[in-house]
Amino acid sequence: MKRRTILQATVATVAMMISMPAFADKISDAKAVVDKYASKVSAWDGPTSGPKASADKSIVILAADMKNGGILGVVNGIQEAASAMGWKVTVLDGAGSIGGRTAAFGQAMALKPSGIIINGFDAVEQKPAMDQAKSSGIPMVSWHAASNVGPVPDVGVFANVTTDAMEVSKSAADWAFIDAGGKPGVIIFTDSTYAIAIAKADRMKKEIEDLGGTVLEYVDTPIAETSQRMPQLTTSLLQKYGDKWTHSLAINDLYYDFMGPSLASAGIAGDGKPINVAAGDGSESAYQRIRAKQYQAVTVAEPLNLQGWQLVDELNRAFASQPWSGYVSPLHVVTSANVEFDGGPKNSFDPDNGYRDQYKKIWGK
C-alpha cells in the first residue's frame, strides 16, 4: 500500500511538472496577444490610392440605435468625412428596435439617396428592404452588419467595415485569463439579435475554455434593453455565483453602463470582482469608467471615427465602380495603463496615424 502511494505521488508530481510549462506557455501566448493590441497605433496601414471624390452625392445613415456609443461614434466619423467630400448626409435612427429600423429603411428609400450606410444591425434583418435598394441600384456599405469584413453580396453590401471581430474577442478573453492568474470564472453577455454578437461571444467562450478557464454562464440579453435588465440581472448573478464570478466578458460596453449601481449596492469596490471586460466598441462611458477604475477595467476599442471615414471611402469606391479597399481597421486593448494615448483624452480610440490626411489625399481634397 505504501509503495502504491509513493508511486501515485510520483506520477502526480511528474504530471504537474509536465503541465507547468504548458500553463506558462498559455500565459505567455495570451500576454503576447494583449501586448500587441495594447501598443500605440501610429503607422498608417490603410489604402493609399483610390478614386477621386464623387461630386453631389446624398447619403443616408441607417443607425440601429443612436443611444449606442459605438454607433454614435461611427456616425460622427461619417459626418466628418462626408463634409470633407462635400456630400449631404441624413441620419435616421432605428431607436433600438426591428420595427424602428424597418420604418427608417422605408424613409431612406423615399429619399432616393445616392448611397446608404447600414450602421450597427444585421443586414439579413432588413433583407426585403435591402433587396429593394439593391434592385434600385443604390450602393450600400455597412458597419457591423455581418461578422466578416468586406463584401456581403447576398444582401448587396459593397463592403462591411469592422475590425477583426474574432481578434477582438480573443484579446478580451486573453486579458481576463491573464488577470485571473489563469483561473477565470467568466460570465459572458451577448445578444442573439445580432450574428456578429453571437460570433464574438462564442469566440470568447471557446478561448476561455481552451485556455482552461471556466465559463459560469452564457447570458443572452438584448443590448437595447440593458438599462431595464442589467441592474436586476447583475444582482441575481451575484447571488448565484458569488466569488466564483471573477470576470465579465461582454460583446459591447453598453452592458456595463448599468451594472455599477448593483455592484456598489453589493459592497463591491469599483476595481473589485467581478472585473468587467468588453469586446467592443470603446464608448466614451467605457473610457471614463476605465480611467476612474469604476466597474470596468478593459474595452477592446474600435477606431469608430476612422471607420466612419473608411465607410465614406468605400462608398466612394462603389460610386466609381472600383473594388473595395480591402482595409481591416486596427483594434486597441484599452486599460488604465494606456487610456491616455491614441485619442484617450477625448474618450475614444482615435489612432494617431494621420488617417484623415491619408483619405483626403486619395480623394483629392
Side-chain angles (χ1 to χ4, degrees):
M1 179 68 77
K2 186 175 181 181
R3 182 180 177 186
R4 180 179 293 178
T5 303
I6 293 171
L7 180 60
Q8 287 172 337
T10 303
V11 170
T13 302
V14 171
M16 186 181 297
M17 290 175 66
I18 292 171
S19 65
M20 284 176 64
F23 178 76
D25 287 345
K26 287 180 180 180
I27 291 285
S28 178
D29 290 347
K31 189 175 185 304
V33 170
V34 171
D35 288 349
K36 173 184 175 182
Y37 293 124
S39 59
K40 290 185 178 182
V41 180
S42 56
W44 174 243
D45 61 351
T48 56
S49 63
K52 299 303 179 187
S54 298
D56 302 321
K57 298 297 182 182
S58 62
I59 63 173
V60 171
I61 304 170
L62 291 173
D65 187 354
M66 289 289 281
K67 296 188 298 294
N68 184 304
I71 290 168
L72 178 60
V74 172
V75 167
N76 291 338
I78 293 168
Q79 291 176 320
E80 189 180 90
S83 176
M85 282 284 204
W87 294 355
K88 177 185 177 183
V89 179
T90 302
V91 182
L92 300 176
D93 185 4
S97 72
I98 294 174
R101 292 189 286 270
T102 301
F105 218 130
Q107 294 176 49
M109 294 303 296
L111 292 171
K112 298 181 178 179
S114 308
I116 292 174
I117 299 179
I118 309 297
N119 187 2
F121 61 89
D122 274 355
V124 293
E125 176 197 288
Q126 299 293 327
K127 193 173 186 304
M130 297 192 72
D131 287 343
Q132 183 184 355
K134 183 180 177 181
S135 64
S136 299
I138 301 174
M140 292 180 287
V141 297
S142 65
W143 182 78
H144 285 205
S147 57
N148 61 293
V149 186
V152 191
D154 290 350
V155 287
V157 171
F158 175 78
N160 181 54
V161 170
T162 178
T163 53
D164 184 333
M166 298 303 97
E167 283 296 292
V168 169
S169 301
K170 176 177 169 57
S171 57
D174 286 351
W175 190 94
F177 176 74
I178 296 165
D179 189 64
K183 297 180 179 179
V186 172
I187 294 178
I188 296 172
F189 296 94
T190 190
D191 182 352
S192 60
T193 307
Y194 306 100
I196 191 171
I198 291 298
K200 287 168 71 174
D202 287 350
R203 182 67 183 89
M204 288 190 286
K205 182 175 185 292
K206 183 178 187 301
E207 183 70 6
I208 289 293
E209 292 177 341
D210 286 352
L211 289 169
T214 302
V215 176
L216 300 171
E217 194 160 330
Y218 184 104
V219 180
D220 180 6
T221 186
I223 198 167
E225 299 176 16
T226 49
S227 60
Q228 298 98 332
R229 290 176 177 246
M230 287 307 293
Q232 182 55 48
L233 181 57
T234 301
T235 300
S236 298
L237 290 169
L238 282 171
Q239 292 170 348
K240 184 175 181 180
Y241 294 107
D243 293 341
K244 292 180 182 178
W245 181 10
T246 69
H247 290 76
S248 309
L249 288 171
I251 55 92
N252 191 281
D253 296 303
L254 201 59
Y255 287 98
Y256 302 139
D257 284 359
F258 307 100
M259 284 184 72
S262 296
L263 294 172
S265 295
I268 297 171
D271 58 353
K273 294 178 181 179
I275 295 168
N276 294 328
V277 179
D281 297 314
S283 68
E284 181 175 347
S285 59
Y287 268 79
Q288 291 170 342
R289 284 191 292 270
I290 291 167
R291 183 179 288 108
K293 298 183 179 180
Q294 289 295 303
Y295 304 110
Q296 187 168 354
V298 176
T299 183
V300 185
E302 298 199 54
L304 303 172
N305 203 77
L306 183 160
Q307 289 172 328
W309 280 71
Q310 184 185 351
L311 285 161
V312 169
D313 181 66
E314 302 295 0
L315 198 52
N316 190 56
R317 291 169 190 270
F319 291 148
S321 299
Q322 293 195 15
W324 84 290
S325 71
Y327 180 46
V328 181
S329 52
L331 59 94
H332 189 41
V333 176
V334 181
T335 68
S336 59
N338 67 8
V339 71
E340 296 304 337
F341 62 71
D342 274 322
K346 296 183 293 183
N347 292 320
S348 65
F349 171 38
D350 197 25
D352 189 19
N353 60 5
Y355 66 87
R356 293 174 178 85
D357 290 338
Q358 293 289 342
Y359 276 122
K360 286 179 181 179
K361 189 183 299 182
I362 293 171
W363 303 336
K365 293 292 184 177

